[in-house]
Amino acid sequence: MKEKGRFLKKYRGNECLNCSVPLDIIDRYCHNCGQINTTKKLSFKDFFNEFFASIFSYDSRLRHTIVGLLFRPGMISKDYIEGKRVKYANPFRFFLSVSILFFIISGLFIDFDSIIPQEKEQNNGLLEINLTNNEHKENDIINDSIAEPGVDKEDEYVYFTETQLDTMSMFTAVNKRWKTYKSHYKKTGEPMATIALDSLKHEQNTYTKYLYKRSIKTKNLNENPLELLKFVFNKLPFIIFFFLPFFALMMWLLYIRKPFNYMEHLVFIFHTQTMFFILIGIAILIDQITKSEAASSIAMLVFLFYLYKAMRKFYQQRRAKTIVKFLLVNVLFFILAGIGSIITIIGSMFIF
C-alpha cells in the first residue's frame, strides 16, 4: 500500500510513543503494542483519511473483494474460509460498510409518501373529524366522564380506577389500563403523563408513566403509520445484521453433512448479502436516472441467479441438489423474514 500522511518514513521515530520500545526507521508499527510508528501530530486530514480507510479498506483488498463478489460468486467465500484472506476485506466489516451506503442511498431516493397514499388520505379525513369533535368537546369536564367508571366501548370514554384494576388479572389489568390511558388522551389531548395520571387518580410510577406515553405513541401511529415505517426502515441495517446469524444457522442445518462450521456459513451469508446490497443499490440509482423500476426488478432476478451460482460453487453439490436447497433457502428466508418483521414492528411500538 502506498505510504502517505502519518505513514511516511520522515515521521518515524526511534521509539514507540505508546510503550517506549526501541524501534527502527523501517518499523512501520511497534512490534510490541502494534501502534503506528509516527511522530507527526494528528491533523484533521489524517484523522478522516484513516477513519474512512478503516471502514472501507481503501487499498487493493477493496478491489479484490469487489471483483471477487461480482465475478466469482461463492469462490470468494471459499477462498476466505480456506485461509486466503490477506487480499480480501473482512466480510463482516465490508458488509457493514456496504449496508450503510445502501441505506443512505435508499433513504435518499425512496418516497415513503407514495407507499401508503390511501392511508394518508384516510388519516387526513379522520384528523378533520377528530378536530371537529374536539371543538365540541372543549367544554366537557373530565370528571363528568370519570363519574361512571368501567365504561368499555370504543366510542365512549373508558375509565377504570386503581381499585378496579387491582382486582383484575395481570394481563386484563394491563389491557384495561391501556384503554383508559388511550381514551383519556383522546378526550383531553394531555401529553404529560404526570398530569394525566393525577387527573385519573392513578398511581404515578415508572410503569404507569411509561404505559401512558406508549398509549399516546400508539394512537399517533394509528393516525400516521408512515412515521413507524420510517423508523423501522432507519433501523434496518442493524436489524438485518442481527438477523443474518439466524439465517446462517438455517444454512448450517440445511448443509449439516458438509464439513463447514457455523462461522464458515456466516462468511458465505455476509458475502451474498453484501452482493444483494450492491446490486439493489446500483439498481436504485439507475431507476432514479431512467425514472422507472425496471432496474430493481432485473437486479432481483440477477441476485437470485447469483445466489444459486454461489451455493453451487461454495458447497460443491450437484445441480439438482443445489436447486432443491436453493428453493428451500428462499422459502425459509421469507418465513424467517416474516417472523423477524413481526417482532421488529412489535418491538418498534415499544421503543419508537
Side-chain angles (χ1 to χ4, degrees):
M1 184 173 65
K2 184 179 179 181
E3 294 179 348
K4 57 183 179 179
R6 295 199 300 153
F7 289 93
L8 292 172
K9 286 185 179 179
K10 66 179 182 179
Y11 296 120
R12 292 180 188 171
N14 297 320
E15 69 174 19
C16 177
L17 299 179
N18 181 56
C19 63
S20 301
V21 167
L23 299 173
D24 193 274
I25 194 170
I26 64 171
D27 294 325
R28 190 174 182 182
Y29 296 95
C30 174
H31 50 77
N32 181 53
C33 68
Q35 178 169 288
I36 178 177
N37 178 18
T38 181
T39 58
K40 185 178 185 293
K41 290 184 177 295
L42 183 65
S43 67
F44 185 84
K45 182 180 178 182
D46 291 333
F47 180 81
F48 279 94
N49 281 342
E50 292 175 26
F51 170 75
F52 285 110
S54 66
I55 295 178
F56 299 105
S57 297
Y58 286 131
D59 53 25
S60 60
R61 288 180 298 169
L62 179 63
R63 184 177 68 255
H64 286 301
T65 303
I66 293 177
V67 171
L69 281 174
L70 289 172
F71 303 109
R72 301 177 66 225
M75 293 307 297
I76 182 176
S77 305
K78 195 166 183 63
D79 285 348
Y80 196 87
I81 68 170
E82 289 177 351
K84 302 172 185 177
R85 301 170 188 168
V86 174
K87 65 178 181 179
Y88 297 122
N90 182 284
F92 313 114
R93 189 173 67 179
F94 189 61
F95 164 79
L96 287 177
S97 302
V98 172
S99 64
I100 290 171
L101 283 176
F102 170 78
F103 283 102
I104 290 174
I105 292 171
S106 56
L108 288 173
F109 296 118
I110 290 180
D111 184 10
F112 287 98
D113 294 331
S114 65
I115 296 176
I116 46 174
Q118 294 180 348
E119 287 81 351
K120 188 175 181 180
E121 292 174 4
Q122 291 173 0
N123 289 330
N124 287 337
L126 288 173
L127 182 59
E128 291 175 3
I129 294 172
N130 287 335
L131 289 173
T132 304
N133 290 337
N134 287 337
E135 288 176 1
H136 293 294
K137 293 180 180 179
E138 280 181 353
N139 297 322
D140 289 351
I141 301 175
I142 186 67
N143 290 330
D144 292 341
S145 297
I146 294 177
E148 297 181 4
V151 177
D152 192 3
K153 294 181 180 179
E154 185 176 353
D155 296 329
E156 296 184 26
Y157 185 82
V158 179
Y159 175 72
F160 292 89
T161 65
E162 281 285 4
T163 304
Q164 288 176 311
L165 293 170
D166 289 339
T167 63
M168 301 176 186
S169 65
M170 183 179 69
F171 293 107
T172 303
V174 171
N175 180 47
K176 299 304 182 185
R177 190 183 292 275
W178 181 276
K179 288 183 177 180
T180 297
Y181 294 163
K182 194 172 180 179
S183 179
H184 182 80
Y185 177 72
K186 182 179 179 181
K187 184 175 182 64
T188 66
E190 177 55 63
M192 298 295 292
T194 52
I195 296 174
L197 292 171
D198 184 63
S199 299
L200 292 166
K201 296 180 174 58
H202 276 201
E203 183 180 350
Q204 295 194 30
N205 52 44
T206 304
Y207 166 67
T208 54
K209 290 177 182 177
Y210 172 80
L211 205 62
Y212 186 81
K213 292 175 182 177
R214 287 298 96 194
S215 66
I216 293 176
K217 283 288 185 181
T218 303
K219 184 178 184 302
N220 291 338
L221 288 175
N222 288 337
E223 294 175 354
N224 189 12
L226 188 62
E227 293 303 317
L228 178 62
L229 180 62
K230 290 180 179 178
F231 177 79
V232 173
F233 182 83
N234 290 331
K235 296 294 181 288
L236 276 180
F238 307 100
I239 294 168
I240 291 174
F241 181 76
F242 289 106
F243 167 76
L244 290 182
F246 293 99
F247 189 52
L249 179 62
M250 185 177 68
M251 295 294 287
W252 177 73
L253 293 172
L254 198 60
Y255 287 95
I256 197 166
R257 292 185 178 182
K258 283 289 182 178
F260 297 110
N261 61 31
Y262 174 78
M263 286 304 299
E264 290 168 341
H265 288 288
L266 193 58
V267 167
F268 175 77
I269 293 299
F270 274 107
H271 277 149
T272 53
Q273 187 63 42
T274 300
M275 187 61 191
F276 174 78
F277 284 147
I278 291 174
L279 288 173
I280 301 300
I282 294 173
I284 289 173
L285 294 176
I286 295 174
D287 284 339
Q288 289 300 310
I289 296 171
T290 60
K291 303 300 180 181
S292 70
E293 297 181 358
S296 296
S297 301
I298 294 171
M300 285 298 300
L301 294 174
V302 170
F303 174 72
L304 290 173
F305 178 73
Y306 177 92
L307 179 60
Y308 161 75
K309 295 293 291 185
M311 290 175 62
R312 180 123 160 80
K313 291 182 179 180
F314 182 74
Y315 293 108
Q316 298 288 303
Q317 285 192 327
R318 290 178 298 176
R319 185 175 287 105
K321 275 191 174 181
T322 302
I323 291 173
V324 171
K325 290 186 177 180
F326 168 80
L327 295 173
L328 279 173
V329 162
N330 282 279
V331 171
L332 292 173
F333 176 82
F334 282 110
I335 293 173
L336 199 57
I339 295 172
S341 299
I342 293 170
I343 294 173
T344 299
I345 292 172
I346 294 174
S348 298
M349 298 287 288
F350 289 93
I351 64 175
F352 177 72

